[in-house]
Each structure stands twice: as C-alpha cells, then as structure tokens.
Amino acid sequence: MTVPALEVAGLTFCYPNGHPALEDLSFTVDVGERVALLGPNGAGKTTLALHLNGIHRAEAGSIAVAGTELTDTTLPEIRRRVGMVFQDADDQLFMPTVGEDVAFGPSNLGLKGTERDERVAEALAMVQAAEFIERSPHHLSGGEKRRIALATVLAMRPDVIVMDEPTSGLDPAGRRELADLLQTLDHTQLLITHDLPFALEVCPRSIIVSDGRVVADGPTPAILADTALLEAHRLELPFGFDPEFLTRRHRPAA
Amino acid sequence: MGAGHAHRLHVPGDTIVHRMAPEAKIVAAFAFVLAVAVTPRRAVWVFVLHGLLLACWIARAGLRPSLVVKRLAVIAPFVTFAFFLPFLAGGATTEVLGVSLSTEGLWGTWNVLTKSVLGATTSIVLASTTPVADIVRGLERLRVPALVTSVISFMFRYLDLITADLGRMRTAMVARGHDARWLWQVKPIASSAGAMFVRSYERGERVHAAMLARGFDGTMPTLDDRRASPAEWRMAAIVPMLAAVAALGGLLT
C-alpha cells in the first residue's frame, strides 16, 4: 500500500469565540491527485487549509504529509512539503521585487547563492513568468500575481500544493491560463474553491465540506450532477450550465 | 533593481550617482548633512561651498533643478516659522526696508533656512537616485536592525495598497452623497479611518500567516550579499569630506 500524499484524520478546531470551525474532519489525498475542496462561504475550507501546513494547530485529530505527521519537530519540514497559495496574492507577495519574493521560501530553507537563484529561475519558468523577476509585485495584473504566488511555493519544491480560491478575482483568460498551468504540474493539488466549473475542469475528484465536516467525496462529475446534494450545501452551478453535460461528457465510451 | 516602490520619488537613470552602492550613498548623505549641521551660521562662505558641492551631486545625477526645487516644497511648512524669528527675537536691531528687525533673529532665519534646504536637498538626491528597495538593502548592509528595515520595507510595499483601499472607501462615500465640508461631518471619515486600521491589521495577520507558510522563522533572509567596493566608498566620500573640511574651516575662523 502506498502512503497517501495527505492524510487528515478526525481534525477538530474551534475559533477563539467557541464557534466550531472543523468537526471530526477526515480525508486522504493520494500522490499526484488533483482534488477540489468545495463548500459554501464559512464552511471551514480556509481554516482547514491553514491547518495543512501548521498555521493553525489542531485541537484534536492529526495531519500527515507523505506519512510524516505534523508535530512541532516536523513543522519546518511540513511547511516545505505543503505549499500554500493564499486567496489574496497581495498577502503573499510582500517583497520589493518578484525575484526576491520567490527567493524568500528557499532562503528560509537555508539555500544561498546560485542554488537559490536556480530555484527562483526554475519556479518562475514553471509559471511562465521569468520576465517578471525584476518587477514589483504590486504592479502586476491579478492573473500574473496569482502565477507569481504559485511560483513562490513551487520554489520550495513542495509535494502538495494547496490553493485557496485560486480563481477569485481572475478574468476569464486569467482563469483559463491558471487551469492550463495547474494541469501541467505533477504535484498533488488541493484546490479550495466554490468555482464549480473550474473544479470540474482541473480536478477529477471533489470533496464537499459543509459546517466543518466532509459531506461528500467522489468523482467531480458525479458530485456536480447531484443537484440535491449541491443545493443542500449552498453550492450552485452557474446559470445555463446543464448537469446532463457532465454525465454525457464523462460517461465511459461504450 | 529599478523596480522598487519609490516609483513616485525615484528618477530612473544610469549616472555615477545612480550606480553608487546604496550603503555608500546613505553614509555619504548622512555625513554631508552632519557637516552642514555643524557649520557655524555666520560662516556664509562655507554654506556657499556646501551648496556648490550639492549642486555637483545634482548635476552628476542628471536631476533637473526644477524637479529638486519642486520637491523642496515639502519643507515649506517647517521653515515658515523661521520667518517669524526676526520679529520675535530680542537684542540688537537692524533696519530692513524701514522695519526694525532683530539681528539675532535674522541670523536664526538664515541658519534654519540654509540648513534645512541643504539637508532636504541631500535627501531628495538620495531618494531620486536610489529605489526604496535599494535603500533598505543599503541599511541592512550598514547593520541597521532587521526589525527596522523590515518595517520600512513593509511600509512601502503596503502603502500603495492601503492608499488604494482608502481611495476606494472615499469613492464609495462620495458615491452615496457624502461631501464633508464641516467639522460635524467628520464622523464618516473617522469611522473609515477605524475600518482602515482594522483592515490593515487583518492584512498584517494574513501576510504573517503567508510568511509562516513559507518557513519564515522570525529573521528576514539576506538576499543580496554584494557589498560596496573600496573604490565606491572612496568615490562616495569625496563630497562629504570636502564639506567636512569646509565646515572645519568655518568653525576655526
């Protein structure tokens, strides 16, 4: 049996005001899988993401990345292995230039000189943004910032990439470029979103989180075709989107 | 490194002053201002020399004098009070255009005016030829504590965002008919300042979380190991050295 890339078991977390955010939440993601984490606003998706590389610490339950359990001693290693791309790229990009921002993670890993420069160049090449290296992040477009934010975690050579609302604030072309880009990466990916068509396009598998629990887990087309399930958890396909299309497109060839 | 955030202050160029290592430039500017500050106010010829030295810097940096003068406007509120000195100070008086003014006061005005103009012009030259990112890097190399350099760097990174936020809030208020002209209409502005503070604070928390996620352990990594060469230090030292000699001359005479 292979070790899953990500294993979350019985995760429970309450906000300081006592409101439960996650309740006994469990799921696993296999190596190389692209999984969409769907759910309405306030379902606990971002809170879950912040647990995955130890920004929030679990009150109960455990998280393991490629078999390494998240503890105080493994924290630096887990943070390298799990790359978090935050919802607002302006929160993530804080250095004066793109190149320095991409170098921030590798520097924290202790890399220096040419080795670090290579990491920066490699990560920027992966997101097709090599020409931005000297630019200031503030003056890039939303789509460009999102790609650079992705590069800042790719430079740490993570095993798992977690993206929080990757399509928020992107125009259709930026969204298309991101979908294409994510499909070229071999990393295990967990995409937190309520953009259902994006989930369908990029992720073969989806998990619905609602009120801090996993309420559905399965192939994305089947989940999105279940209108009753979506409705029960405040998820909706965009207007004019035909659920029939899902079953037609993804029906195995006869 | 021409892509810093000082896009409003920085004047791109490729002159000897632009290319000089930032730490050498910072030290040179500081030393020059120090020399100006210790110059006795009655040594007028020394101030003339200081002015000429500074003019050399401006010329070598290829800065338009009109730009420098325009930027000098920032000191106007600070020097205004200096013009009251001849009326307020006591002691011997001099007749100027039929008005009896205090001699001491006149020297006071001259002192404040020349020193602040020379000091402000020096910082204008520094800011116009050095992107903020480089100034921060220079300060780091001068062993200024990382806490201070990080605060400066973050401030510049997020200043634009916060200003844009504030602008959007203002637009939203204006769009709903807000038109503050009187003191009693100040409440929405005060509450937007409060909202702004909370938003900036929350952003700070998110930025910190994003930094932790990339392995931040409390110390900012040094990303640039280059240092100013001895030749650069010597080059940067010329102007402040001459100014120091002139100041010394002024002190001795």
Side-chain angles (χ1 to χ4, degrees):
Chain A
M1 196 186 94
T2 54
V3 182
L6 190 62
E7 190 169 14
V8 176
L11 194 64
T12 300
F13 180 76
C14 286
Y15 287 120
N17 64 9
H19 178 73
L22 304 174
E23 286 184 274
D24 193 21
L25 191 137
S26 306
F27 66 92
T28 59
V29 178
D30 284 327
V31 175
E33 251 192 317
R34 279 196 302 274
V35 179
L37 197 72
L38 311 174
N41 287 337
K45 305 185 302 282
T46 301
T47 309
L48 169 63
L50 291 173
H51 276 85
L52 296 178
N53 73 359
I55 305 285
H56 284 340
R57 301 304 291 272
E59 283 162 14
S62 66
I63 291 163
V65 178
T68 307
E69 193 164 326
L70 174 59
T71 63
D72 286 340
T73 40
T74 60
L75 189 62
E77 178 59 16
I78 297 281
R79 285 189 175 157
R80 186 198 67 76
R81 290 195 194 181
V82 181
M84 271 288 297
V85 181
F86 287 75
Q87 183 172 353
D88 185 349
D90 278 320
D91 292 341
Q92 186 141 11
L93 306 177
F94 61 92
M95 295 292 267
T97 66
V98 166
E100 287 173 271
D101 220 308
V102 178
F104 178 75
S107 305
N108 287 327
L109 299 178
L111 299 181
K112 285 189 170 68
T114 47
E115 200 182 354
R116 182 174 62 200
D117 295 346
E118 278 167 22
R119 285 282 188 104
V120 173
E122 168 195 289
L124 285 174
M126 280 167 109
V127 301
Q128 288 127 39
E131 71 272 25
F132 296 134
I133 190 158
E134 288 286 319
R135 297 266 297 273
S136 149
H138 183 58
H139 301 109
L140 302 176
S141 76
E144 288 162 352
K145 278 189 205 174
R146 197 61 49 99
R147 271 153 55 204
I148 304 299
L150 183 57
T152 66
V153 305
L154 288 174
M156 300 178 77
R157 295 203 180 139
D159 301 333
V160 182
I161 297 172
V162 180
M163 290 188 89
D164 193 3
E165 298 291 358
T167 60
S168 79
L170 294 191
D171 60 15
R175 196 168 162 278
R176 151 114 335 273
E177 285 162 10
L178 185 68
D180 292 344
L181 173 62
L182 290 176
Q183 289 175 85
T184 62
L185 301 176
D186 302 328
H187 305 71
T188 307
Q189 292 170 37
L190 188 66
L191 308 182
I192 298 169
T193 185
H194 40 219
D195 183 341
L196 304 185
F198 187 78
L200 176 69
E201 185 177 354
V202 180
C203 305
R205 178 182 154 204
S206 287
I207 296 173
I208 296 183
V209 173
S210 187
D211 287 329
R213 298 164 184 277
V214 171
V215 293
D217 185 347
T220 308
I223 292 219
L224 297 194
D226 190 342
T227 38
L229 174 74
L230 295 185
E231 212 171 297
H233 301 289
R234 286 185 62 81
L235 290 167
E236 261 179 41
L237 286 165
F239 177 74
F241 202 98
D242 179 10
E244 274 292 299
F245 162 78
L246 300 167
T247 36
R248 256 202 325 271
R249 181 180 159 195
H250 294 276
R251 192 173 293 150
Chain B
M1 296 287 163
H5 292 275
H7 44 290
R8 278 181 249 100
L9 289 180
H10 182 236
V11 181
D14 190 29
T15 68
I16 184 161
V17 186
H18 281 84
R19 283 192 305 266
M20 197 180 282
E23 63 268 38
K25 240 189 289 188
I26 294 167
V27 172
F30 185 74
F32 179 76
V33 172
L34 209 63
V36 169
V38 299
T39 304
R41 58 190 182 175
R42 283 168 197 262
V44 177
W45 63 274
V46 181
F47 286 110
V48 173
L49 277 181
H50 288 331
L52 286 174
L53 287 170
L54 201 48
C56 288
W57 252 353
I58 293 172
R60 293 306 295 271
L63 298 173
R64 275 180 293 112
S66 59
L67 175 120
V68 178
V69 172
K70 224 183 285 170
R71 288 186 178 177
L72 268 178
V74 294
I75 62 164
F78 304 98
V79 296
T80 311
F81 94 97
F83 285 100
F84 291 106
L85 287 175
F87 301 99
L88 301 174
T93 57
T94 320
E95 286 279 315
V96 179
L97 300 171
V99 186
S100 165
L101 298 172
S102 154
T103 318
E104 271 304 299
L106 282 171
W107 277 116
T109 306
W110 157 257
N111 189 36
V112 171
L113 209 59
T114 43
K115 288 186 180 174
S116 53
V117 166
L118 288 170
T121 309
T122 311
S123 53
I124 290 168
V125 175
L126 178 65
S128 305
T129 57
T130 328
V132 173
D134 283 2
I135 293 186
V136 172
R137 219 166 284 140
L139 291 172
E140 274 169 12
R141 289 182 214 150
L142 292 169
R143 308 237 183 278
V144 170
L147 186 68
V148 177
T149 55
S150 318
V151 167
I152 298 172
S153 158
F154 277 97
M155 198 179 79
F156 275 93
R157 169 68 181 90
Y158 289 102
L159 198 62
D160 284 346
L161 282 179
I162 292 172
T163 321
D165 261 359
L166 200 62
R168 279 194 296 273
M169 273 193 200
R170 243 189 63 80
T171 310
M173 287 200 297
V174 171
R176 283 182 288 159
H178 179 70
D179 181 18
R181 284 162 191 270
W182 310 101
L183 195 59
W184 55 87
Q185 291 175 315
V186 83
K187 196 179 168 226
I189 295 174
S191 42
S192 70
M196 201 64 245
F197 174 77
V198 173
R199 276 163 75 162
S200 308
Y201 183 81
E202 285 173 350
R203 184 185 289 279
E205 285 192 323
R206 292 199 304 272
V207 172
H208 186 238
M211 289 170 76
L212 289 179
R214 282 194 282 158
F216 178 64
D217 59 2
T219 49
M220 291 295 280
T222 4
L223 293 172
D224 192 355
D225 319 321
R226 276 175 299 145
R227 289 275 185 279
S229 65
E232 273 179 301
W233 280 113
R234 277 196 295 277
M235 177 80 79
I238 297 172
V239 167
M241 286 286 268
L242 290 175
V245 170
L248 200 65
L251 283 168
L252 295 175
T253 51

